[in-house]
Every structure is written in C-alpha cells, then in structure tokens.
Amino acid sequence: MFELVKEFNVLQAFGYTILLTVCSALGAFIIGVVVAILRVSPVPALRLFGTAYVNLVRNTPLTIIIFFCISGLMLAMNWYLLPDAASLNWQNFVWAVVGLSVYHAAFVAEAVRSGINTVPLGQAEAARAVGLPFVGTIREVILPQAMRGAIAPLGNTLIALTKNTTVVATVVALEASAVMKKMIEDRPDMLYLTFFIFALGFVLLTLPVGVLFTRLSKKLAVAR
C-alpha cells in the first residue's frame, strides 16, 4: 500500500484537495454571509436577490456550475484569473474554487440565516433604539450571536464541500479523486486497495472536522 501511495504521490494529491477545500470554504463563507445579510435586509429588492440566489444556486447541480466556469467563462470567453504563464491545471484550479465557492455559499447563507433566526427580535430592536443603523446592528449585535448558533450547520457544509471537491476531478488533475482515477486506469489490479486508500483519506479529512464543530457547537451554544 505504501509503495502505491508513494508511486502516485497520493499525499500531495490530498494536499491539493485540502488547499482546494480551504480556498473554497473561505470564498463560500464570505459570499454566504453577504447573501444571508441580503436575505434579512429591510430592502425588498435585496431580500428578493438573496432569496433568488439561494434557490437558484442550491437547485443547480454542482457539475453544471463547474462546467460553466471552466468551459463557459474560461475557455469560451477567455476569462483567465491567473497570468498567462500559469499552467492550465492551475487556471482550472482557480475556477474550480470559484465554482465551489458560489455553490456552497447558498448553503452557508442558509446556515447563517438559521443562526440569525435564533437571535431574539428584542436584540435588534434594542440596537435600533440606541441609534445603530441596519449594518451596525448586523455587524455588532446580530452576527456575533448568529455565528454561535450556526456552527453545526456550517460544519456540515464544510464536510459536504470537502467531499464535493471530487466533482472537479475531470478538470483539475492535481487533486485526490483525479489521482484515484489515474491509479484505477494504470493499476486495475489494485482496484480495491485504491478505493480503500482514498476512502480512508477522505474519512481522515472529514471526521476531525465533524468532531471539532460538534464540540464547538456545544461549547459556544448560547443559553436562552
């Protein structure tokens, strides 16, 4: 098993998977928080936009989003996010991050909105009573409490994102599932061992995340 791991550089492949997960998670979190704020905005047009984003993106298959980013925006429209000197693999990698971020931002937005719904209405009313505008109320009062209530669903979204990185295997030859595909093609006699190696790898990536977020959700739970 160790010879197979070394031959196909499996550890490096999982390193790229972790990098893809972390970059996509940061992008999804930023976009998701913005969309969640839009969904609770007092402006009807902003609420409509936030709702439309969540419903549209969440019900669009991730494969279509990745394909649109790579084939549509990059190849058809020549929108390259890295300098021309960058390899095609890294160009695909960056667009894969964009696609994963846009898709999972819809789930982050719903997780954050669920956290916002746990904050008593009186908190927002008290903030407005002392003169805080909507943005200040969200930033200083609502979001700090909402994040504590959204830890568990955010952890579930991160685990789903980690597993969904396998979708980009057809366009990013660096990450784990693409290497697994190559191993199956080159070493069909090691099929079951290959599946075991990568199943174990993804368990080792996702299990600690689940344990960590479960403990955080219990530790940071707001007593009402």
mmCIF file of all heavy atoms in Angstrom, residues 202-220:
data_model
loop_
_atom_site.group_PDB
_atom_site.id
_atom_site.type_symbol
_atom_site.label_atom_id
_atom_site.label_comp_id
_atom_site.label_asym_id
_atom_site.label_seq_id
_atom_site.Cartn_x
_atom_site.Cartn_y
_atom_site.Cartn_z
ATOM 1 N N PHE A 202 -10.369 10.411 2.812
ATOM 2 C CA PHE A 202 -11.474 11.346 2.996
ATOM 3 C C PHE A 202 -12.099 11.223 4.387
ATOM 4 O O PHE A 202 -12.587 12.216 4.945
ATOM 5 C CB PHE A 202 -12.536 11.145 1.908
ATOM 6 C CG PHE A 202 -12.220 11.880 0.638
ATOM 7 C CD1 PHE A 202 -11.633 11.220 -0.435
ATOM 8 C CD2 PHE A 202 -12.485 13.235 0.513
ATOM 9 C CE1 PHE A 202 -11.318 11.895 -1.607
ATOM 10 C CE2 PHE A 202 -12.177 13.922 -0.642
ATOM 11 C CZ PHE A 202 -11.594 13.252 -1.710
ATOM 12 N N VAL A 203 -12.071 10.019 4.959
ATOM 13 C CA VAL A 203 -12.538 9.874 6.343
ATOM 14 C C VAL A 203 -11.641 10.665 7.287
ATOM 15 O O VAL A 203 -12.116 11.360 8.197
ATOM 16 C CB VAL A 203 -12.570 8.384 6.749
ATOM 17 C CG1 VAL A 203 -12.760 8.244 8.263
ATOM 18 C CG2 VAL A 203 -13.702 7.665 6.029
ATOM 19 N N LEU A 204 -10.328 10.590 7.049
ATOM 20 C CA LEU A 204 -9.386 11.325 7.896
ATOM 21 C C LEU A 204 -9.518 12.836 7.722
ATOM 22 O O LEU A 204 -9.182 13.605 8.630
ATOM 23 C CB LEU A 204 -7.945 10.894 7.581
ATOM 24 C CG LEU A 204 -7.578 9.460 7.962
ATOM 25 C CD1 LEU A 204 -6.155 9.132 7.538
ATOM 26 C CD2 LEU A 204 -7.746 9.249 9.466
ATOM 27 N N LEU A 205 -10.011 13.274 6.570
ATOM 28 C CA LEU A 205 -10.223 14.710 6.353
ATOM 29 C C LEU A 205 -11.512 15.203 6.997
ATOM 30 O O LEU A 205 -11.551 16.302 7.543
ATOM 31 C CB LEU A 205 -10.259 15.016 4.850
ATOM 32 C CG LEU A 205 -8.945 14.952 4.072
ATOM 33 C CD1 LEU A 205 -9.170 15.333 2.617
ATOM 34 C CD2 LEU A 205 -7.888 15.865 4.686
ATOM 35 N N THR A 206 -12.563 14.402 6.910
ATOM 36 C CA THR A 206 -13.885 14.883 7.341
ATOM 37 C C THR A 206 -14.218 14.560 8.802
ATOM 38 O O THR A 206 -14.914 15.340 9.453
ATOM 39 C CB THR A 206 -14.981 14.289 6.442
ATOM 40 O OG1 THR A 206 -14.903 12.851 6.474
ATOM 41 C CG2 THR A 206 -14.810 14.755 5.008
ATOM 42 N N LEU A 207 -13.719 13.444 9.307
ATOM 43 C CA LEU A 207 -14.072 13.059 10.679
ATOM 44 C C LEU A 207 -13.613 14.076 11.718
ATOM 45 O O LEU A 207 -14.407 14.473 12.594
ATOM 46 C CB LEU A 207 -13.511 11.660 10.989
ATOM 47 C CG LEU A 207 -13.930 11.053 12.332
ATOM 48 C CD1 LEU A 207 -15.443 10.918 12.405
ATOM 49 C CD2 LEU A 207 -13.259 9.691 12.527
ATOM 50 N N PRO A 208 -12.351 14.543 11.679
ATOM 51 C CA PRO A 208 -11.942 15.565 12.660
ATOM 52 C C PRO A 208 -12.762 16.849 12.557
ATOM 53 O O PRO A 208 -13.023 17.502 13.574
ATOM 54 C CB PRO A 208 -10.472 15.822 12.318
ATOM 55 C CG PRO A 208 -10.027 14.601 11.595
ATOM 56 C CD PRO A 208 -11.215 14.134 10.828
ATOM 57 N N VAL A 209 -13.172 17.214 11.338
ATOM 58 C CA VAL A 209 -13.992 18.416 11.168
ATOM 59 C C VAL A 209 -15.325 18.247 11.878
ATOM 60 O O VAL A 209 -15.799 19.147 12.589
ATOM 61 C CB VAL A 209 -14.218 18.716 9.671
ATOM 62 C CG1 VAL A 209 -15.202 19.874 9.498
ATOM 63 C CG2 VAL A 209 -12.897 19.051 8.997
ATOM 64 N N GLY A 210 -15.955 17.083 11.701
ATOM 65 C CA GLY A 210 -17.228 16.829 12.375
ATOM 66 C C GLY A 210 -17.098 16.865 13.883
ATOM 67 O O GLY A 210 -17.929 17.459 14.578
ATOM 68 N N VAL A 211 -16.034 16.241 14.415
ATOM 69 C CA VAL A 211 -15.819 16.238 15.866
ATOM 70 C C VAL A 211 -15.568 17.649 16.386
ATOM 71 O O VAL A 211 -16.128 18.068 17.409
ATOM 72 C CB VAL A 211 -14.634 15.314 16.214
ATOM 73 C CG1 VAL A 211 -14.287 15.436 17.700
ATOM 74 C CG2 VAL A 211 -14.956 13.866 15.863
ATOM 75 N N LEU A 212 -14.736 18.411 15.663
ATOM 76 C CA LEU A 212 -14.406 19.773 16.088
ATOM 77 C C LEU A 212 -15.643 20.661 16.122
ATOM 78 O O LEU A 212 -15.880 21.367 17.116
ATOM 79 C CB LEU A 212 -13.359 20.366 15.143
ATOM 80 C CG LEU A 212 -13.010 21.843 15.355
ATOM 81 C CD1 LEU A 212 -12.384 22.048 16.725
ATOM 82 C CD2 LEU A 212 -12.075 22.335 14.265
ATOM 83 N N PHE A 213 -16.438 20.633 15.059
ATOM 84 C CA PHE A 213 -17.601 21.509 15.009
ATOM 85 C C PHE A 213 -18.677 21.076 15.999
ATOM 86 O O PHE A 213 -19.426 21.918 16.513
ATOM 87 C CB PHE A 213 -18.165 21.570 13.583
ATOM 88 C CG PHE A 213 -17.478 22.578 12.710
ATOM 89 C CD1 PHE A 213 -16.277 22.283 12.093
ATOM 90 C CD2 PHE A 213 -18.025 23.842 12.522
ATOM 91 C CE1 PHE A 213 -15.631 23.214 11.304
ATOM 92 C CE2 PHE A 213 -17.390 24.780 11.740
ATOM 93 C CZ PHE A 213 -16.186 24.471 11.118
ATOM 94 N N THR A 214 -18.776 19.785 16.290
ATOM 95 C CA THR A 214 -19.723 19.320 17.305
ATOM 96 C C THR A 214 -19.345 19.851 18.677
ATOM 97 O O THR A 214 -20.196 20.339 19.437
ATOM 98 C CB THR A 214 -19.775 17.785 17.333
ATOM 99 O OG1 THR A 214 -20.208 17.302 16.061
ATOM 100 C CG2 THR A 214 -20.747 17.300 18.400
ATOM 101 N N ARG A 215 -18.065 19.799 18.991
ATOM 102 C CA ARG A 215 -17.607 20.309 20.282
ATOM 103 C C ARG A 215 -17.774 21.825 20.364
ATOM 104 O O ARG A 215 -18.172 22.360 21.404
ATOM 105 C CB ARG A 215 -16.141 19.932 20.500
ATOM 106 C CG ARG A 215 -15.930 18.448 20.752
ATOM 107 C CD ARG A 215 -14.490 18.143 21.088
ATOM 108 N NE ARG A 215 -14.295 16.719 21.416
ATOM 109 C CZ ARG A 215 -13.139 16.179 21.743
ATOM 110 N NH1 ARG A 215 -12.041 16.950 21.777
ATOM 111 N NH2 ARG A 215 -13.051 14.902 22.020
ATOM 112 N N LEU A 216 -17.468 22.523 19.263
ATOM 113 C CA LEU A 216 -17.626 23.969 19.263
ATOM 114 C C LEU A 216 -19.084 24.378 19.437
ATOM 115 O O LEU A 216 -19.392 25.338 20.158
ATOM 116 C CB LEU A 216 -17.072 24.554 17.954
ATOM 117 C CG LEU A 216 -15.548 24.633 17.817
ATOM 118 C CD1 LEU A 216 -15.174 25.147 16.434
ATOM 119 C CD2 LEU A 216 -14.955 25.531 18.898
ATOM 120 N N SER A 217 -19.975 23.648 18.765
ATOM 121 C CA SER A 217 -21.402 23.997 18.866
ATOM 122 C C SER A 217 -21.908 23.827 20.294
ATOM 123 O O SER A 217 -22.757 24.596 20.753
ATOM 124 C CB SER A 217 -22.221 23.145 17.893
ATOM 125 O OG SER A 217 -22.161 21.771 18.259
ATOM 126 N N LYS A 218 -21.386 22.819 20.991
ATOM 127 C CA LYS A 218 -21.809 22.608 22.386
ATOM 128 C C LYS A 218 -21.161 23.645 23.317
ATOM 129 O O LYS A 218 -21.796 24.161 24.225
ATOM 130 C CB LYS A 218 -21.431 21.201 22.836
ATOM 131 C CG LYS A 218 -22.222 20.105 22.133
ATOM 132 C CD LYS A 218 -21.781 18.723 22.600
ATOM 133 C CE LYS A 218 -22.577 17.624 21.914
ATOM 134 N NZ LYS A 218 -22.148 16.261 22.345
ATOM 135 N N LYS A 219 -19.888 23.931 23.041
ATOM 136 C CA LYS A 219 -19.157 24.854 23.917
ATOM 137 C C LYS A 219 -19.653 26.288 23.766
ATOM 138 O O LYS A 219 -19.724 27.046 24.741
ATOM 139 C CB LYS A 219 -17.666 24.790 23.604
ATOM 140 C CG LYS A 219 -16.810 25.649 24.509
ATOM 141 C CD LYS A 219 -15.328 25.474 24.198
ATOM 142 C CE LYS A 219 -14.459 26.319 25.118
ATOM 143 N NZ LYS A 219 -13.011 26.147 24.842
ATOM 144 N N LEU A 220 -19.991 26.687 22.532
ATOM 145 C CA LEU A 220 -20.356 28.080 22.256
ATOM 146 C C LEU A 220 -21.865 28.283 22.179
ATOM 147 O O LEU A 220 -22.308 29.358 21.800
ATOM 148 C CB LEU A 220 -19.713 28.537 20.944
ATOM 149 C CG LEU A 220 -18.183 28.500 20.901
ATOM 150 C CD1 LEU A 220 -17.680 28.940 19.536
ATOM 151 C CD2 LEU A 220 -17.588 29.378 21.992
#
